[in-house]
Amino acid sequence: MTAPPLTAETRREVGSTPAWFTPLLVWRVLVAAGFAVLLTTRRGIAIEGANRVLVLAGVTLALFVAMLAGYQTYRRRHLGRLLGFTVDLLTASVTGFMALNRMSFFNGLDAVGERFNRNIIWLVVIVAGWLISGWSERGGLSRPRIQRIGRYIMAGGAAIMVLAMGLLGAIPGVLANIADLEVVPVLGVAIVAALFARIQIGESAARLFGTTQSQSEGFDGLLFIAPNALGFLAFFAGPLIFSLVISFTEWSGLQPAEFVGLANYRELLGDALFLRSLRNIVIFGLVAVPLTVAPALLLAALLNSKLPGIRVFRAIYFLPSIAGVVGVTLIWKQLFNATVGFLNYSILEVTEFFNGLFGTAVAAPQPLWISAPEVAMISVIILFVWQRIGFDTVLFLAGMQGIDRSLYEAADIDGAGAWTRFRHITVPMLRPTTFFVVATDIILALQTFNEPFILQAPSTPAGPGNSTLTPVIYLYQQAFQQFQIGYGSAVAWALFILIFGITIIYFRRQGEDGFLKA
Amino acid sequence: MEGANPVSKRWTLLLVALAMIVAACGDAGSGDTTAETTAETTGETTGETTATTEGGTTDSTEAMTDGVSLRWMTRPDNPEEAAVYGSISDGLNIEGVTLTYEPGDNEGSSYQDKLLTNLSAGTAPDVFWIPGTDVARFVQEGVILDLREYASATGHNDADFYPGPMGHLTTDPATGQPADKLWGLPRDVSTFAIYVNQDLVAEAGVDNPLDLAASGEWTWDKFKEVSEGIAALGGEIKGYGQSNWWGPNGAWINAAGGNFFSDDRSACALDSAEAAAGLSFLSELYAGGSAVPFGEDPEPGFRAGTVGMFQNGRWATPGIRTVEFNWDVVGLPEGPAGPGNWLFWGAYVVNANTEHPEQAWALVQALTSTEVQAQISELGANVPSRVSQDALDAFLGFTPPANNQAFLDGLSNNPTTEGPLWLGSWPEFDAVQGPAIGDVISGARAVEDFSANICNEAAAAFGG
């Protein structure tokens, strides 16, 4: 894909300037000018309030990078290639998505997806052709006729499939969309940017910009992570920054946002429901995490043996963690039902059994698992622990199997018993695993949403007396039920600060103990 | 696979991908996957629009012949209902309009979230359904269209629908009072009734609630007697159950003559003696132990045959139809001020950003026509919102329950209409009153304390 590594001597072969270099320089100027126009005339940035600040900041940064890329390209430096490629890739991606959106691509995806499912048989035909074509050269024998047949089958299958997908019928619609004056320039920019991005990957670009071997390897690395980086920017970093900006606004999601500074955060400090949700989630974490980690460790110790059928048990314990949380929670909701649920029925039966056995008349407790304020959070903890414990067990198990067996053998020689070995070898050697397990469980616990929400759904997600109100449920209520997305975002960032703070403290404590430094 | 030329493979894949992109771009809005129709206007479903066209009184309908695509979305209560809406979309004939039905998620999932996100992103359908309590917010945010102009041009009559929902759908947000506005048309309505396990009633030997209702003796006292009589069967048997949300709780307040709000819905009215009376009765009922513990979902118990009476709306009927015991429905028992009830509803509204408001209005009319309402009523989840004997007859004909009339009686017993707070915030009010009423019913809070403080606690919802 990229150019072979070059030595310093062969860098920058002046005199062999490729034909695309001048257009590239022009393109660099145009891109920078485009961002400058966006920034100065604010045309196209039809966003009000704090969002506008975010967009303007982004455009300013883009302008700076585009100018730098242009200058470095002009100087034929590797940095110009690197920045230029990045700018072109982002430009092509953003404008490409804009053009597709303008052409209603995303609205039509569902229909195409359904047609794809209906015509999947033609995909099977294409695969069959591919297999036939490949089989023709098996065993070092070349069978051109069979290979041709395979290719014809592939081509025929592909042709029928695209026709069945509605290609012909869609062409007029596409032409009409492309004729839209707003689509043409955006699509044009996307195509040109994609072409220049492609050119800069090539060997001639590497030669022109004097890319060294180490630089070439770095560039290859960037190419590999580029798709993921784009996804990260679009679906994680972008929304993350967006929510941070939104948290400083009053925004319903339907009207322009109004910048309110720190007002949302100030309001949070005096918001009794938010503080209640924090109290709930801290208690939840303090109880649920130890109840998950300690049994998982013991369970892993039990499962870390070579008994016949032990793998079946491992799979059984792991199952809850791969089951869909919604389905599992709905089942638990039925189990928790105070009148017809299996838990209370079991308590009743067991109590009656012992009453019969000992001649006592103990009344069977019948907890209101979901509807009593003092019990509702316990139900959520039970569900969390049940679902999480299997995953933690597998992590501990993996950690245990990585412990050097010679340590146990030495302990055996010294006469150590099973408990001593577990206490003085297994537990200390598992500290990196324990750190990971506890950290992830804390983060998951503090972000709890699904379990209490579904247990109490649909009418009272906060639970009886707000007893199962968590910060994430509260932000959901604020953002999506009360249309206060700015305030909901502030709740999200306050929760982030809490999680981040706890994780840092935990991280440092573990660091003081040494293994993280090691 | 070394057999195939990598270049040809690459081009084949590229061509297929491009073909799919082209298909998607050229296909947006047509949606043959769900429901699309581009037929002549012939059916009665768009009778009013058709009549206007035939009369040649408007230019607006001429524009409809250009061929436009409309997307619409509603919140079905179950997959069966979603399928019926899809077939309705298939069957609608609106001249020159291609329809795409987008099934929204149900109440338990994310209909509201999806709608809000779509509206925020500018990708919401042309016509969509919203709950009655949300109308004010959508109007105030300017995301739904005032349809009065189009309604006037097509001979629409507000009186064809129940006045309660239409009051909210014609309210001027500036005054909070009905005016010359039209924000949409109600999709359907529902009231509460009591689902009765007839087998448990017979086993307990108590008076049958349906007989008591027929003889005019279905009062709170009798209701309590029946509930306690059934619970006396012992074990896990309970006499009564209701879910924990404002509707069932509020029905008892309404029956006592109280209300959540003042008459003009501009202030809290939960501090009244009548509201206290309703809550006291409910609290005593639960304290007596004959009811499913407050806050527990009673529906699994009712369906399992361990709960004698279960208060819920018409939407619960499809689920109850699967039980194997004998059951029927009866109206709510009469309290000091009569039976009391709620009129629940939701409305089809038009996206303020639609490019085809006239066609969207025609779609709203078609979706609320007698024929469509009768078709949906067949599932048993809804009561027609149109005051039409044909629609009501269709509704009454779909049994069980045999006593469908109980739901219609609820409509005629001066129910309180579910609706938004035009001069306040319903979500904020609900967030305060819900836990407070729950505390009173479960005995955690004295009703006197509730009466003395609740309206102060809820003042912020009215801007106080």
Side-chain angles (χ1 to χ4, degrees):
Chain A
M1 175 118 81
T2 55
L6 301 171
T7 61
E9 291 74 30
T10 58
R11 293 180 68 192
R12 214 169 286 118
E13 293 179 8
V14 184
S16 60
T17 304
W20 49 260
F21 184 64
T22 306
L24 179 65
L25 284 176
V26 174
W27 170 247
R28 288 275 164 270
V29 172
L30 287 176
V31 169
F35 285 126
V37 168
L38 268 180
L39 197 61
T40 52
T41 66
R42 300 184 177 183
R43 186 156 181 253
I45 306 177
I47 301 171
E48 301 297 330
N51 300 343
R52 185 178 185 81
V53 174
L54 181 67
V55 174
L56 289 177
V59 174
T60 305
L61 179 65
L63 172 62
F64 173 74
V65 175
M67 288 170 64
L68 186 60
Y71 175 72
Q72 296 291 345
T73 300
Y74 173 72
R75 298 295 303 272
R76 303 187 185 197
R77 287 180 179 158
H78 175 71
L79 184 61
R81 183 190 181 206
L82 196 62
L83 291 177
F85 171 77
T86 306
V87 169
D88 288 340
L89 184 66
L90 288 174
T91 304
S93 302
V94 172
T95 51
F97 275 107
M98 285 169 65
L100 286 174
N101 187 44
R102 184 70 199 178
M103 290 163 71
S104 301
F105 168 76
F106 300 105
N107 287 339
L109 265 184
D110 284 346
V112 170
E114 181 126 339
R115 276 205 295 275
F116 182 84
N117 288 340
R118 282 208 305 267
N119 295 287
I120 197 116
I121 183 68
W122 300 112
L123 193 65
V124 175
V125 171
I126 295 171
V127 173
W130 185 51
L131 290 174
I132 290 168
S133 183
W135 176 76
S136 67
E137 291 196 355
R138 276 282 169 93
L141 297 173
S142 178
R143 303 179 181 86
R145 183 175 293 175
I146 294 176
Q147 193 175 46
R148 266 203 304 279
I149 289 171
R151 284 184 190 171
Y152 289 146
I153 290 174
M154 276 176 70
I160 295 173
M161 182 154 190
V162 296
L163 290 175
M165 295 285 293
L167 176 65
L168 290 181
I171 286 175
V174 174
L175 293 176
N177 280 331
I178 290 177
D180 179 351
L181 288 180
E182 289 184 36
V183 170
V184 174
V186 180
L187 195 59
V189 168
I191 292 170
V192 173
L195 282 175
F196 279 119
R198 175 68 188 84
I199 284 170
Q200 285 165 104
I201 296 173
E203 184 181 344
S204 59
R207 194 167 294 124
L208 179 75
F209 289 100
T211 304
T212 64
Q213 182 168 352
S214 64
Q215 287 170 339
S216 181
E217 287 168 357
F219 194 73
D220 284 351
L222 283 176
L223 283 177
F224 275 114
I225 65 163
N228 191 44
L230 282 176
F232 176 81
L233 284 174
F235 300 113
F236 188 79
L240 198 70
I241 294 168
F242 182 71
S243 79
L244 178 63
V245 174
I246 284 300
S247 73
F248 298 114
T249 70
E250 186 178 324
W251 189 44
S252 67
L254 304 172
Q255 295 293 329
E258 184 187 340
F259 186 71
V260 294
L262 291 170
N264 286 334
Y265 291 93
R266 276 199 298 272
E267 195 178 334
L268 273 182
L269 295 176
D271 185 337
L273 280 177
F274 174 67
L275 297 176
R276 174 67 194 267
S277 74
L278 282 184
R279 179 174 154 254
N280 286 347
I281 204 64
V282 168
I283 293 172
F284 175 79
L286 286 173
V287 178
V289 172
L291 283 181
T292 307
V293 175
L297 180 60
L298 295 175
L299 206 55
L302 289 176
L303 293 174
N304 189 26
S305 67
K306 292 180 178 172
L307 292 173
I310 198 72
R311 288 186 178 184
V312 176
F313 283 100
R314 289 175 189 168
I316 288 172
Y317 282 111
F318 189 62
L319 272 180
S321 60
I322 56 170
V325 66
V326 175
V328 161
T329 309
L330 285 172
I331 291 169
W332 273 94
K333 189 175 181 177
Q334 298 300 317
L335 297 177
F336 282 135
N337 189 291
T339 55
V340 292
F342 187 73
L343 282 185
N344 278 1
Y345 174 75
S346 302
I347 293 171
L348 195 66
E349 290 294 305
V350 169
T351 309
E352 284 180 3
F353 171 76
F354 281 105
N355 280 341
L357 198 65
F358 300 111
T360 54
V362 176
Q366 295 287 281
L368 305 177
W369 294 99
I370 297 173
S371 58
E374 61 276 13
V375 184
M377 186 57 94
I378 295 174
S379 306
V380 181
I381 291 170
I382 290 172
L383 180 50
F384 178 88
V385 169
W386 177 83
Q387 196 168 36
R388 187 69 191 162
I389 206 166
F391 189 73
D392 288 356
T393 301
V394 169
L395 292 175
F396 278 127
L397 198 55
M400 284 177 186
Q401 291 176 352
I403 297 174
D404 189 348
R405 307 310 300 173
S406 63
L407 293 173
Y408 291 107
E409 290 163 10
D412 281 340
I413 293 167
D414 290 344
W419 170 249
T420 306
R421 289 199 304 272
F422 179 75
R423 169 74 183 81
H424 294 289
I425 299 175
T426 307
V427 172
M429 294 303 289
L430 276 178
R431 278 172 59 198
T433 309
T434 308
F435 169 76
F436 176 75
V437 166
V438 172
T440 51
D441 280 359
I442 287 174
I443 292 168
L444 279 175
L446 295 179
Q447 291 177 333
T448 297
F449 172 80
N450 288 320
E451 293 88 347
F453 186 80
I454 297 166
L455 279 179
Q456 301 289 346
S459 303
T460 53
N466 294 314
S467 58
T468 58
L469 180 67
T470 67
V472 183
I473 287 180
Y474 189 57
L475 85 83
Y476 170 81
Q477 287 180 320
Q478 292 297 315
F480 289 98
Q481 294 184 330
Q482 302 202 22
F483 292 11
Q484 295 180 353
I485 295 180
Y487 192 65
S489 298
V491 173
W493 276 90
L495 178 63
F496 168 77
I497 291 166
L498 175 73
I499 293 174
F500 192 69
I502 290 174
T503 309
I504 288 289
I505 291 168
Y506 182 60
F507 202 93
R508 287 201 168 167
R509 279 205 58 191
Q510 295 300 315
E512 285 164 9
D513 290 347
F515 87 85
L516 283 176
K517 286 177 185 169
Chain B
M1 185 70 67
E2 64 272 25
N5 183 342
V7 175
S8 70
K9 271 197 304 185
R10 191 181 303 167
W11 280 108
T12 304
L13 285 173
L14 189 64
L15 279 174
V16 171
L18 271 176
M20 287 186 190
I21 290 172
V22 168
C25 291
D27 197 68
S30 64
D32 66 344
T33 59
T34 48
E36 59 179 48
T37 49
T38 47
E40 296 298 312
T41 305
T42 52
E44 286 182 44
T45 49
T46 55
E48 290 164 4
T49 311
T50 309
T52 311
T53 307
E54 286 167 354
T57 54
T58 65
D59 294 333
S60 61
T61 46
E62 289 172 15
M64 293 165 57
T65 59
D66 292 343
V68 298
S69 294
L70 290 182
R71 294 158 53 222
W72 70 284
M73 180 167 81
T74 190
R75 190 190 79 186
D77 284 322
N78 48 57
E80 292 76 20
E81 201 172 303
V84 168
Y85 283 120
S87 68
I88 283 169
S89 196
D90 273 332
L92 285 181
N93 296 316
I94 304 175
E95 188 177 348
V97 175
T98 301
L99 294 180
T100 301
Y101 167 58
E102 298 176 359
D105 292 335
N106 60 34
E107 186 183 10
S109 51
S110 54
Y111 177 85
Q112 190 83 343
D113 311 353
K114 185 189 284 184
L115 179 60
L116 180 59
T117 308
N118 282 344
L119 285 166
S120 186
T123 57
D126 302 273
V127 172
F128 51 86
W129 177 92
I130 57 173
T133 48
D134 277 350
V135 172
R137 281 195 294 175
F138 279 73
V139 169
Q140 285 155 356
E141 294 285 353
V143 294
I144 60 177
L145 203 62
D146 180 3
L147 299 164
R148 180 58 73 193
E149 172 194 348
Y150 309 103
S152 300
T154 52
H156 160 79
N157 184 2
D158 288 352
D160 289 341
F161 298 86
Y162 288 103
M166 291 313 295
H168 288 293
L169 286 169
T170 56
T171 291
D172 182 346
T175 63
Q177 297 301 315
D180 193 27
K181 305 284 183 186
L182 185 62
W183 303 115
L185 294 179
R187 182 187 77 173
D188 47 45
V189 296
S190 188
T191 57
F192 276 138
I194 305 259
Y195 291 79
V196 181
N197 181 331
Q198 299 280 44
D199 291 350
L200 273 184
V201 167
E203 190 182 343
V206 293
D207 292 333
N208 190 308
L210 279 92
D211 296 339
L212 289 168
S215 61
E217 297 174 84
W218 186 227
T219 61
W220 278 10
D221 289 340
K222 285 290 183 185
F223 166 80
K224 198 172 172 186
E225 274 181 37
V226 172
S227 176
E228 289 170 350
I230 294 171
L233 287 170
E236 56 189 0
I237 305 295
K238 295 291 180 185
Y240 170 73
Q242 68 173 49
S243 300
N244 175 21
W245 56 286
W246 58 266
N249 302 338
W252 299 96
I253 294 173
N254 298 344
N259 205 332
F260 283 163
F261 315 114
S262 58
D263 288 344
D264 64 357
R265 302 172 73 88
S266 64
C268 163
L270 278 171
D271 55 356
S272 69
E274 291 81 4
L279 290 177
S280 294
F281 174 78
L282 202 51
S283 179
E284 286 165 17
L285 179 75
Y286 276 98
S290 71
V292 173
F294 183 72
E296 290 289 324
D297 184 1
E299 190 165 350
F302 184 81
R303 290 168 72 164
T306 62
V307 176
M309 296 183 290
F310 167 46
Q311 185 193 161
N312 212 336
R314 179 68 186 184
W315 55 82
T317 298
I320 303 298
R321 278 180 174 161
T322 61
V323 302
E324 292 179 354
F325 53 80
N326 293 307
W327 65 280
D328 206 335
V329 295
V330 65
L332 301 186
E334 289 194 28
N341 214 317
W342 284 103
L343 195 164
F344 300 101
W345 60 284
Y348 286 119
V349 296
V350 173
N351 188 338
N353 291 324
T354 182
E355 293 175 4
H356 311 291
E358 293 149 28
Q359 290 86 344
W361 163 245
L363 174 58
V364 170
Q365 285 189 291
L367 290 171
T368 53
S369 67
T370 301
E371 293 73 17
V372 168
Q373 298 211 330
Q375 210 174 330
I376 295 167
S377 295
E378 191 169 351
L379 279 171
N382 306 96
V383 180
S385 62
R386 186 177 274 273
V387 187
S388 150
Q389 197 54 48
D390 287 344
L392 295 181
D393 287 346
F395 168 76
L396 288 170
F398 298 120
T399 58
N403 188 25
N404 273 322
Q405 185 63 40
F407 291 103
L408 301 187
D409 290 345
L411 286 171
S412 55
N413 283 335
N414 192 27
T416 304
T417 303
E418 168 195 27
L421 284 176
W422 288 91
L423 302 175
S425 165
W426 164 257
E428 277 188 52
F429 181 77
D430 190 33
V432 174
Q433 65 80 20
I437 286 181
D439 285 347
V440 172
I441 297 172
S442 61
R445 183 175 182 177
V447 71
E448 294 78 15
D449 177 55
F450 174 86
S451 298
N453 297 302
I454 184 63
C455 285
N456 286 334
E457 293 167 14
F462 299 93

